[in-house]
């Protein structure tokens, strides 16, 4: 018997969790929403997503080659970022908008801070904010599904806010749930997003702390502060409309930019919910999900610091019976 | 008996792989021609040898005398002739003074090996003395001298004893088989422990993945006052002392404290069995059950082995390797220690020999932490492994200490779950060492 044994530190077995598998799961979970977006907005939605993903992956690869860093595109996180950037733009934008967005997300937000795990805000959302500030017209031109060429329309939240032409009709809740409404490529179908979210929960990629506290907070606040006095809000429209489902399950849960402590995750969700509601009800935008997540991203280190879990055995000592 | 299933917060569910050996009865392994008995097999001061080369020794004869209170003597596991007293390689990775004995295969018993009388007639001090003289140290792995545990300081009032039959380490089945095959001995040992401590309540705690052990133990314990079998969820590290106490009694051992601080003493089933033998037969701890297992072992087995038998002999007895071996581990896959050689003796704390095949031990890429929080979710001590590890790797041990590095029980759950393959426990262990070294310097 020879003595060629490997000597390492314990433990000697590992779980099946691998970061590349987790990121692949996120990609898989986003596919129903991509299919829904393609059905409602046409093949253009799919093309924009492909352009966005390709730009994201290529940008990461080129930067890593140029800076002589380890190539990390095999962890699929750039694919996820690319998909999320595309999901956050309207289906009518010119093709270069998601490309610029993905380049910005990877080159500026992710790589400048040292790659995965070090960026302090969600790259896709930072890209959305950047695009919105730079090309406001293109980024807020909405169409109703099936009418991509030209006819612009209002999103349900804009109608709710009354900032669009008088007479615009709110779509039925069912249309909103299925996704037959105006909006960005990825946020249109709550149903498709929830299917993906269920998959992520089943695979234990995410837990419910952030999404649930986020959605419940938005629901409660928008219900209480309704347009016709207290407790008259159409909270279901707020939950199903806009990017809430997409944001709550797929972006607020982004690992590097959300808290790691259980309590911190709930605070993150509630914080996002409060900010979203405030922006939607009293702010200048009909939307609010992206900005609130970005703001909470920035206080994440602080939340982690102040929500350290109570270490086993540091509480009150239970007296011997 | 309550059928409630008890557990703790956190933890992981590794593949157990117990089916390799959990149905195989304990097999007595032939005694080798030579044994190597280290004079340090427990936590605490090593023994002084009391034999020299050329001496004749008998089975059960004391060959090493305990030095100090936190120490236990060592006995010969065969009869024969002492060949040498010299430093030999020990499973801890160091050279340790050891007694090498040539076996005459007669198993001539030492005069001291005789029954110690009825448990009813023994006083608490008698029992503790028998346990100490029999060289009994915890057989779950840590090998802390048992009589020390049974002598808590007078200001700690112990009211509960827990016999740890969780066996939460994957692969290992030595405790499982012992419970199935010798349940009365374990109950007898528990009664002796209760009497030594003057305690009325004893639990035997077993994970529910061992229904046959639960059944056997319940049968053996039925009708015995104050003794109860409790069911534990199958989850790692359910058998960790603090997690076990929390699950069974609801009490939390304070940070930096001992089980006795919450009135509990925990002993492993193997220890309880050894105590029973020491009282009933007068036989000191000279043999133990070792699970030889892993996909890279041809015929995995549960073996009753004399202390001092070489790992090589055990593996040979099990048919040798199956395919290309990758890692040799003493203990289980979560907390066991890798060894680079089979030329090592079985000692009192050797619960298993695990040989993993090469394909299961390929080193994997370490990636940067993504802050996925999985390590935080699984840590049974409620620590934040990602931060302690990051500070430790940055040589910032003061901050690591503020994040409670010293509370880590080194269970490995965090490293097990980390999707980025971070060396979490490894770096936390380093931080603990540095922090303790600094404290010693300041003291
Ligand atoms: S499990 Fe690994 S990747 Fe996840 S937070 Fe902990 S150290 Fe980081
Ligand atoms: S930090 Fe320590 S106690 Fe917590 S999971 Fe890791 S090894 Fe176990």
């Amino acid at each position: 018997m020879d003595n060629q044994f490997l000597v390492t530190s314990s433990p000697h077995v590992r779980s099946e969790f691998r970061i590349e598998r987790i990121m692949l799961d996120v990609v898989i979970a986003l596919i129903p929403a991509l299919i829904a977006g393609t059905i409602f907005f046409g093949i253009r939605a799919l093309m924009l997503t492909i352009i966005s993903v390709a730009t994201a992956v290529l940008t990461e690869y080129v930067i890593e080659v140029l800076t002589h860093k380890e190539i990390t595109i095999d962890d699929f996180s750039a694919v996820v970022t690319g998909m999320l950037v595309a999901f956050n733009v309207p289906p009518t934008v010119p093709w270069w908008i998601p490309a610029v967005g993905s380049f910005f997300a990877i080159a500026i937000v992710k790589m400048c801070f040292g790659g995965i795990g070090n960026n302090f805000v969600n790259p896709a959302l930072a890209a959305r904010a950047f695009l919105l500030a730079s090309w406001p017209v293109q980024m807020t031109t909405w169409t109703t599904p099936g009418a991509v060429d030209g006819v612009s329309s209002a999103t349900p939240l804009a109608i709710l806010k009354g900032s669009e032409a008088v007479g615009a009709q709110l779509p039925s809740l069912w249309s909103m749930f299925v996704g037959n409404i105006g909006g960005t490529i990825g946020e249109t179908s709550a149903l498709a997003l929830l299917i993906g979210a269920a998959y992520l929960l089943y695979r234990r990629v995410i837990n419910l702390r952030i999404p649930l506290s986020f959605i419940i907070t938005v629901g409660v606040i928008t219900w209480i502060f309704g347009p016709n006095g207290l407790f008259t809000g159409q909270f279901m429209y707020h939950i199903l409309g806009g990017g809430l489902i997409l944001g709550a399950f797929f972006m607020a849960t982004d690992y590097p930019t959300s808290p790691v402590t259980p309590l911190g995750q709930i605070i993150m969700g509630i914080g996002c919910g409060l900010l979203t509601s405030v922006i939607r009800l009293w702010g200048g935008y009909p939307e609010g999900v992206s900005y609130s997540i970005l703001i909470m991203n920035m206080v994440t280190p602080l939340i982690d610091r102040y929500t350290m879990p109570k270490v086993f055995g540091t509480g009150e000592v239970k007296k011997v019976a | 008996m309550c059928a409630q299933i008890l557990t703790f917060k956190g933890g992981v569910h590794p593949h157990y792989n117990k089916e390799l050996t959990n149905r195989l009865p304990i097999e007595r392994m032939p005694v080798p021609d030579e044994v190597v008995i280290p004079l340090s097999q427990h936590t605490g001061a090593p023994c002084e040898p009391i034999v020299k080369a050329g001496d004749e020794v008998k089975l059960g004869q004391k060959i090493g005398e305990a030095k100090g209170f936190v120490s236990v003597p060592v006995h010969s596991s065969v009869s024969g002739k002492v060949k040498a007293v010299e430093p030999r390689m020990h499973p801890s990775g160091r050279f340790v003074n050891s007694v090498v004995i040539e076996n005459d295969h007669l198993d001539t018993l030492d005069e001291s090996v005789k029954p110690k009388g009825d448990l009813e007639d023994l006083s608490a001090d008698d029992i503790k003395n028998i346990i100490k003289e029999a060289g009994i140290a915890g057989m779950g792995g840590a090998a802390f001298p048992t009589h020390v545990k049974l002598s808590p300081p007078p200001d700690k009032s112990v009211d509960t004893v827990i016999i740890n039959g969780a066996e939460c380490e994957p692969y290992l089945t030595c405790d499982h088989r012992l419970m199935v095959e010798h349940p009365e001995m374990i109950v007898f040992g528990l009664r002796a422990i209760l009497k030594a401590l003057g305690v009325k309540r004893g639990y035997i705690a077993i994970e529910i993945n061992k229904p046959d052990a639960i059944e056997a133990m319940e049968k053996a314990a039925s009708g015995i006052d104050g003794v109860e079998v409790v069911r534990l969820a199958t989850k790692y590290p359910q058998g960790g002392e603090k997690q076990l106490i929390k699950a069974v009694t609801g009490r939390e051992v304070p940070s930096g404290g001992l089980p006795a601080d919450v009135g509990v003493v925990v002993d492993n089933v193997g220890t309880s069995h050894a105590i029973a033998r020491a009282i009933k037969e007068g036989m000191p701890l000279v043999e133990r059950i070792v699970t030889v297992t892993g996909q890279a072992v041809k015929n995995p087995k549960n073996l009753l082995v004399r202390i001092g038998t070489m790992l090589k002999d055990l593996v040979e007895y099990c048919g040798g390797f199956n395919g290309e071996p990758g890692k040799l581990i003493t203990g289980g896959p979560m907390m066991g220690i890798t060894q680079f050689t089979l030329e090592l003796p079985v000692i009192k704390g050797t619960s298993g020999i695990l040989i993993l095949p090469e394909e299961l031990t390929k080193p994997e890429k370490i990636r940067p932490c993504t802050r996925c929080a999985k390590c935080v979710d699984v840590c049974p001590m409620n620590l934040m492994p990602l931060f302690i590890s990051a500070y430790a790797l940055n040589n910032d041990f003061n901050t690591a200490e503020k994040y409670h590095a010293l509370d880590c029980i080194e269970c490995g759950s965090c490293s097990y779950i980390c999707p980025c393959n971070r060396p979490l426990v490894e770096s936390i262990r380093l931080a603990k060492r540095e922090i303790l070294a600094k404290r010693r310097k300041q003291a």
Side-chain angles (χ1 to χ4, degrees), chain A residues 8-9 12 18 70 204 313, chain B residues 252 255 327 333 364-365 374:
Chain A
T8 60
S9 176
H12 311 293
R18 296 287 184 282
E70 202 186 326
R204 291 167 180 262
Chain B
E252 255 182 43
S255 169
K327 270 189 199 177
E364 287 188 53
K365 192 160 160 186
K374 296 217 178 294

Side-chain angles (χ1 to χ4, degrees), chain A residues 290-303:
Chain A
S290 339
Y291 289 111
S292 47
I293 296 174
L294 282 173
I295 293 169
M296 292 309 287
N297 285 165
M298 285 184 251
V299 291
T300 286
L302 216 62
I303 296 178

Side-chain angles (χ1 to χ4, degrees), chain B residues 236-237 243 375 378-385 388 405 407-415 424-425 428:
Chain B
Y236 180 86
Q243 282 62 43
C375 55
V378 301
C379 178
M381 297 305 288
N382 246 352
L383 306 177
M384 305 217 274
I388 306 177
D407 284 290
C408 169
I409 58 168
E410 300 182 25
C411 69
S413 301
C414 50
S415 294
L424 295 170
V425 208
I428 296 171

Side-chain angles (χ1 to χ4, degrees), chain A residues 19 61 78 91 105 118 193 218 242 283 314-315 320:
Chain A
I19 196 64
Y61 180 75
N118 290 310
L193 289 166
V218 170
T314 54
V320 174

Side-chain angles (χ1 to χ4, degrees), chain A residues 188-276:
Chain A
T188 178
S189 171
L191 175 64
L193 289 166
L194 288 175
I195 291 170
Y199 175 74
L200 289 188
L201 288 167
Y202 164 73
R203 296 279 305 168
R204 291 167 180 262
V205 170
I206 60 171
N207 63 55
L208 274 174
R209 292 182 201 123
I210 293 176
L212 215 56
S213 51
F214 193 166
I215 293 170
I216 289 176
T217 306
V218 170
V220 169
I221 306 270
T222 55
W223 175 56
I224 295 178
F225 299 100
N228 310 317
L230 291 185
F231 306 107
T232 61
Q234 296 188 312
F235 62 91
M236 280 314 288
Y237 280 91
H238 279 282
I239 289 174
L240 295 176
L244 182 57
I245 304 283
L246 177 66
F249 283 100
F250 293 91
M251 293 191 290
T253 54
D254 175 47
Y255 290 155
T257 57
S258 61
V260 295
T261 66
L263 178 62
Q265 292 171 349
I266 291 171
I267 293 175
M268 167 91 181
I270 294 176
C272 287
L274 285 175
L275 290 168
T276 301

